[in-house]
């Protein structure tokens, strides 16, 4: 039989019918101790992800002790009433688990990943950390030293230094958002075990906390496991802290953080804008993506491909704190350019923004953005950790459990005109605070000539 004849008996497989996809919907419940629980069964996800959200926001830190929330978060895995720091780490390793924690403006979050077969052990260790953290003097002192060692490296990093300066410029000094999330050298060096314990006792309790559990829960009596572990965590009842309103000054201006001899200039251009509770959010996400969300966006097309100023420029929106009436996000454009072309690059960037306002986005740009944002969603949420993190974000931001699923529907339904209006309103050419980390002697004069705002030079520290 010839090869061609043989092929006739083996027809090419045909694609199956496309299956609809939607972001997973969680089930809600409450333990006897007041802890809110969201669970989501994800068949096949044998690594279970657990997120615990604590109502301990950065604005709750005592005056002069910025960074105590971060030290507390890091200290949760440094021993309990049952295990020393070394023993606790060994127990996590034995059950194949990882435990991370961090503090941000909405609060403190602990993230556990553990094989489903060892979920009981992992939840037990997590519960011990929340229920009875050791906060040993020696461990807190070590964490404080480590944090102090990190600060000079952050200040030396141009992108981190730019972010620090932009927050300082946008928000009043009385606002916690104006200061570094993890504290400064002056505030961190004051922190000791007593300060950490005090912050814990004032703000960490199950009644104001939420646990998110995502993974393959087949054959697991999750109610029993939670009752024996996180359910044993006790604490006083309390109401969640109100989310404070935030003011910002986005008057158009330029701040140069002087780095003599720098061969590149770090750009960070930003202002504050709507958060996820605003009906404009989907259009703002879509328009911002068209502006600078990918290699084919307008900013990259001009500054990278046509002019060769940079390896890439991105625009993005980052929620800082979100609530129905007092949420706020950071809208920003970020990248770096070689020092001699700082002025020309900024001029072209402003030209892109002005052209966008005059001519609008194209339908083709909108279509590509929708495909990239919506079409890849099933891949983005293949892991239990990705689903758990997004569900936790929704809780932190006071959003309904179906927000993400609805968000993809709203993105797909957003038109070109809506996306254009949103991104133009997000990045008005006369209300952007521009931070440049670079050689002031070389870039100050050409930047002043652009007329994009008063130029101020500050020391790099």
């Amino acid at each position: 039989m010839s090869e061609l004849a043989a092929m006739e008996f083996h027809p090419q497989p045909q694609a199956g019918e496309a299956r609809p996809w939607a972001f997973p919907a969680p089930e809600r419940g409450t333990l006897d101790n007041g802890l809110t629980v969201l669970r989501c069964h994800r068949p096949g996800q044998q690594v279970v992800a657990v997120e615990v959200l604590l109502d301990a926001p950065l604005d709750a830190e005592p005056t002069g002790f910025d960074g105590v929330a971060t030290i507390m978060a890091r200290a949760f895995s440094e021993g309990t009433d049952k295990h020393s720091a070394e023993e606790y780490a060994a127990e996590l390793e034995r059950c194949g688990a990882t435990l991370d924690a961090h503090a941000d403006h909405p609060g403190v979050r602990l993230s556990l990943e553990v094989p489903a077969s060892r979920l009981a052990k992992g939840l037990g260790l997590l519960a011990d950390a929340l229920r009875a953290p050791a906060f040993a003097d020696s461990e807190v002192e070590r964490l404080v030293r480590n944090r102090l060692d990190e600060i000079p490296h952050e200040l030396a990093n141009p992108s981190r230094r730019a972010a620090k300066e932009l927050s300082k410029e946008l928000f009043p000094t009385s606002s916690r958002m104006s200061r570094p999330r993890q504290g400064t050298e002056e505030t961190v060096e004051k922190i000791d075990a007593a300060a950490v314990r005090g912050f814990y006792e004032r703000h960490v309790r199950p009644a104001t906390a939420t646990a998110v559990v995502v993974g393959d829960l087949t054959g697991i009596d999750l109610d029993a496991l939670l009752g024996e572990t996180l359910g044993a965590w006790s604490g006083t009842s309390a109401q969640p802290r109100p989310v404070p309103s935030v003011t910002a000054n986005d008057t158009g201006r330029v701040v140069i953080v002087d780095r003599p001899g720098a061969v590149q200039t770090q750009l960070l251009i930003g202002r504050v804008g709507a958060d996820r509770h605003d009906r404009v959010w989907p259009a703002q996400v879509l328009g911002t993506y068209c502006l600078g969300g990918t290699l084919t966006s307008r900013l990259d097309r001009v500054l990278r491909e046509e002019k060769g100023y940079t390896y890439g420029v991105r625009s993005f929106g980052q929620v800082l704190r979100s609530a129905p009436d007092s949420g706020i996000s950071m809208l920003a454009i970020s990248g770096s350019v070689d020092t001699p072309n700082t002025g020309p690059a900024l001029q072209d960037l402003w030209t892109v923004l002005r052209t966008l306002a005059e001519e609008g986005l194209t339908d083709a740009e909108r279509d590509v953005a929708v495909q990239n944002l919506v079409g890849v969603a099933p891949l983005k949420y293949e892991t239990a950790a990705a689903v758990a993190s997004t569900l936790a974000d929704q809780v932190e931001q006071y959003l309904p459990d179906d927000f993400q699923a609805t968000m993809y529907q709203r993105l797909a339904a957003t038109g070109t005109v809506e996306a254009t209006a949103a991104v133009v309103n997000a990045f008005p050419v006369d209300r952007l605070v521009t931070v440049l980390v670079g050689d002031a002697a070389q870039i100050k004069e050409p930047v002043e000539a652009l007329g994009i705002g008063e130029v101020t030079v500050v020391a790099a520290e």
Side-chain angles (χ1 to χ4, degrees):
M1 183 182 294
S2 69
E3 182 178 347
L4 180 59
M7 291 179 61
E8 293 176 353
F9 292 97
H10 300 281
Q12 181 178 355
Q14 299 299 308
E17 184 178 349
R19 292 181 296 175
W21 180 90
F23 184 79
E27 297 178 16
R28 273 186 174 262
T30 306
L31 302 186
D32 291 341
N33 61 359
L35 177 70
T36 300
V37 177
L38 276 68
R39 70 186 74 193
C40 186
H41 175 50
R42 301 289 287 160
Q45 296 293 338
Q46 293 300 319
V47 176
V48 177
V50 182
E51 299 270 343
V52 176
L53 293 80
L54 305 176
D55 188 26
L58 297 188
D59 59 44
E61 292 178 318
T63 302
F65 284 83
D66 290 359
V68 69
T70 291
I71 299 299
M72 181 189 74
R74 295 180 180 185
F76 274 126
S77 58
E78 301 299 332
T80 68
D81 61 343
K82 296 179 181 178
H83 301 289
S84 68
E86 293 80 6
E87 291 168 346
Y88 190 81
E91 290 297 314
L92 283 171
E93 187 174 354
R94 283 192 190 99
C95 65
T98 60
L99 179 62
D100 296 307
H102 74 276
D104 208 335
H105 291 295
V108 173
R109 188 186 296 192
L110 287 79
S111 304
L112 173 75
E113 288 190 77
V114 62
S117 60
R118 295 168 182 168
L119 180 58
K121 179 67 173 177
L123 284 175
L125 290 169
L126 174 62
D128 287 345
L130 290 164
R131 177 187 57 79
F135 295 148
D137 291 0
S138 59
E139 297 297 340
V140 171
E141 289 170 5
R142 179 179 59 81
L143 292 172
V144 167
R145 289 195 303 271
N146 289 347
R147 176 66 198 128
L148 291 173
D149 288 342
E150 292 170 356
I151 294 174
H153 295 283
E154 292 171 359
L155 294 176
N157 182 295
S159 62
R160 298 289 292 271
R161 183 63 183 86
K164 177 178 182 289
E165 195 66 31
L166 181 59
S167 295
K168 180 181 176 183
E169 283 291 322
L170 282 175
F171 302 110
T173 55
S174 59
S175 169
R176 183 63 180 85
M177 287 186 181
S178 70
R179 307 189 295 276
R181 287 172 169 83
Q182 299 179 8
T184 64
E185 185 174 353
E186 293 75 20
T187 62
V188 172
E189 63 185 7
K190 298 179 185 177
I191 298 170
D192 57 14
V196 173
R197 292 190 197 101
F199 190 73
Y200 168 86
E201 290 166 0
R202 285 189 297 273
H203 303 291
V204 179
R205 55 179 61 87
T208 55
T210 298
V212 180
V213 184
V214 180
D216 192 331
L217 305 177
T218 303
I220 296 174
D221 187 345
L222 188 60
D223 289 328
L225 285 186
L226 291 173
E228 296 166 358
T229 55
L230 292 175
W233 172 26
S234 61
T236 58
S237 61
Q239 294 297 316
R241 287 174 54 86
V243 179
S245 59
V246 181
T247 59
N249 177 10
D250 59 2
T251 302
R253 58 196 186 277
V254 180
V255 177
I256 299 175
V257 180
D258 190 20
R259 287 276 174 85
V263 297
Q264 286 190 326
T265 301
Q266 182 70 37
L267 316 176
L268 184 58
I269 303 162
R271 63 189 299 266
V272 298
D275 74 335
R276 289 186 169 106
H277 289 270
D278 196 299
R279 63 181 181 81
V280 79
W281 180 261
Q284 183 173 281
V285 168
L286 196 59
T288 301
Y289 190 89
C290 292
L291 174 63
T294 184
L295 290 173
T296 59
S297 65
R298 287 205 178 190
L299 288 174
D300 255 22
R301 204 160 59 234
V302 174
L303 300 181
R304 183 177 66 90
E305 295 182 16
E306 294 179 13
K307 300 301 179 70
Y309 294 145
T310 178
Y311 289 114
V313 176
R314 293 289 174 268
S315 60
F316 58 92
Q318 177 188 2
V319 175
L320 298 178
R321 283 207 75 174
S322 184
D325 300 314
S326 54
I328 194 169
S329 69
M330 175 83 75
L331 302 170
I333 297 170
S334 150
S336 59
V337 299
D338 59 318
T339 298
N341 284 312
T342 301
L346 284 173
Q347 183 176 34
D348 285 338
L349 193 155
W350 252 254
T351 298
V352 169
L353 295 177
R354 292 190 180 101
T355 302
L356 185 61
E358 295 165 1
E359 301 177 1
L361 297 167
T362 67
D363 290 339
E365 287 176 310
R366 177 265 175 202
D367 293 345
V368 168
V370 168
Q371 178 57 38
N372 288 349
L373 291 170
V374 179
V376 302
L379 297 176
K380 181 178 179 182
Y381 294 108
E382 280 191 328
T383 66
V387 174
S389 178
T390 297
L391 290 174
D393 288 343
Q394 292 179 171
V395 172
E396 274 187 345
Q397 296 169 24
Y398 300 89
L399 296 166
D401 292 341
D402 66 348
F403 175 83
Q404 196 63 37
T406 305
M407 176 68 179
Y408 288 119
Q409 298 169 8
R410 295 166 69 191
L411 281 171
T414 299
T416 306
V417 173
E418 295 172 87
T420 297
V423 70
V424 170
N425 288 333
F427 296 97
V429 293
D430 59 341
R431 296 202 67 83
L432 294 172
V433 178
T434 300
V435 174
L436 307 174
V437 181
D439 190 338
Q442 296 191 58
I443 66 177
K444 182 174 185 287
E445 186 174 337
V447 170
E448 286 178 326
L450 299 177
I452 59 176
E454 181 182 355
V455 178
T456 303
V457 178
V458 300
E461 297 177 3

